């Protein structure tokens, strides 16, 4: 895709701190890391997000996420990490090319998950039916 | 696994707000949602996390994540969502059974990504080599 920054990285038109490459997948360090070692894993074919990409492409990317995650946590000298992937503008997906984050996490890094809410009585069943109705 | 709450849900020893089930995968609503419709997708076989699970199991789970993500965003009446998965104690993985979160996101929900940092000069190359050295 012409204006996609990740497509330009794949074509080596823009440099990156590459950590892995195969026929279908590229991985490089995020230059603005949540924690150092924060890695992005992307398919070489352009897809917007997880809804857009076929499952065989997602599976290839996930096999690299799995392979690299142990290397990322060792590089960052920690035992924990988060895999994260954003879809759509309201999820602040900034680059319109499917990408998975591998983010090393430390016990005392102060990074907290978003606050969790709760359902009022009966509301969870309402949402359950809404999800099922849209499958 | 005997003491695993998700294994108990799979065996129907504990109830859940189920939205999907097949031979290998179960999905249900998180009772403490980040946003309403927040869904958890798990393999029926017990694995601790993404490092522990074989890639064919992860791929099966991801195919359900993909399938359900569109339904979850429609149920929550939004266009964006985050897929997230925690590994290890320092990443606050609370249940020791591989699970992917599908979290509906709204433009004005106030939920922000963790702050991003930066590398000092030369440091990104140092981390790049550290990751590569651990693959």
């Amino acid at each position: 895709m012409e204006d996609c920054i990740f497509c330009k990285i794949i074509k080596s038109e823009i440099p990156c701190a590459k950590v892995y490459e195969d026929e279908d997948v590229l991985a490089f360090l995020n230059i603005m890391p949540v924690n150092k070692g924060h890695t992005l894993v992307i398919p070489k074919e352009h897809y917007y997000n997880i809804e857009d990409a076929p499952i065989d492409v997602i599976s290839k990317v996930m096999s690299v996420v799995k392979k690299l995650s142990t290397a990322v946590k060792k590089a960052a000298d920690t035992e924990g990490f988060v895999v994260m992937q954003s879809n759509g503008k309201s999820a602040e997906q900034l680059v319109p090319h499917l990408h998975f984050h591998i983010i090393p996490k430390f016990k005392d890094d102060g990074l907290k998950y978003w606050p969790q809410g709760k359902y009022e009585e009966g509301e969870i069943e309402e949402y359950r039916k809404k999800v099922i109705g849209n499958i």
Side-chain angles (χ1 to χ4, degrees), chain A:
Chain A
M1 193 192 182
E2 207 166 315
D3 288 334
C4 171
I5 190 169
F6 285 174
C7 285
K8 287 180 182 170
I9 287 176
I10 290 161
K11 286 187 280 182
S12 300
E13 292 172 13
I14 293 176
C16 74
K18 178 160 64 177
V19 294
Y20 178 87
E21 183 171 14
D22 65 28
E23 206 182 331
D24 305 301
V25 180
L26 180 69
F28 50 92
L29 297 186
N30 190 328
I31 54 171
M32 287 182 65
V34 168
N35 279 319
K36 285 166 189 171
H38 179 167
T39 297
L40 301 176
V41 187
I42 67 174
K44 288 189 174 174
E45 258 186 282
H46 181 88
Y47 294 101
Y48 177 42
N49 65 17
I50 212 167
E51 291 183 278
D52 186 32
I55 185 59
D56 66 310
V57 170
I58 295 167
S59 294
K60 281 176 186 167
V61 173
M62 286 307 291
S63 72
V64 176
V65 168
K66 176 178 162 60
K67 183 196 209 65
L68 293 183
S69 58
T70 304
V72 168
K73 75 171 201 179
K74 285 183 180 168
D77 197 18
T78 187
E79 62 76 50
F81 60 94
V82 168
V83 174
M84 192 169 185
Q85 186 270 332
S86 295
N87 302 271
K89 285 180 185 165
S90 66
E92 295 176 42
Q93 182 181 355
L94 298 178
V95 178
H97 187 124
L98 175 66
H99 54 288
F100 283 79
H101 302 257
I102 306 172
I103 305 172
K105 278 276 290 146
F106 300 89
K107 194 168 184 300
D108 301 315
D109 61 12
L111 302 169
K112 286 279 166 205
Y113 290 115
W114 299 318
Q116 290 187 281
K118 61 172 190 147
Y119 289 103
E120 299 306 321
E121 202 179 325
E123 209 180 17
I124 196 166
E125 181 59 15
E126 185 190 310
Y127 272 84
R128 195 179 77 88
K129 286 180 181 158
K130 275 196 207 178
V131 172
I132 291 171
N134 281 293
I135 292 174

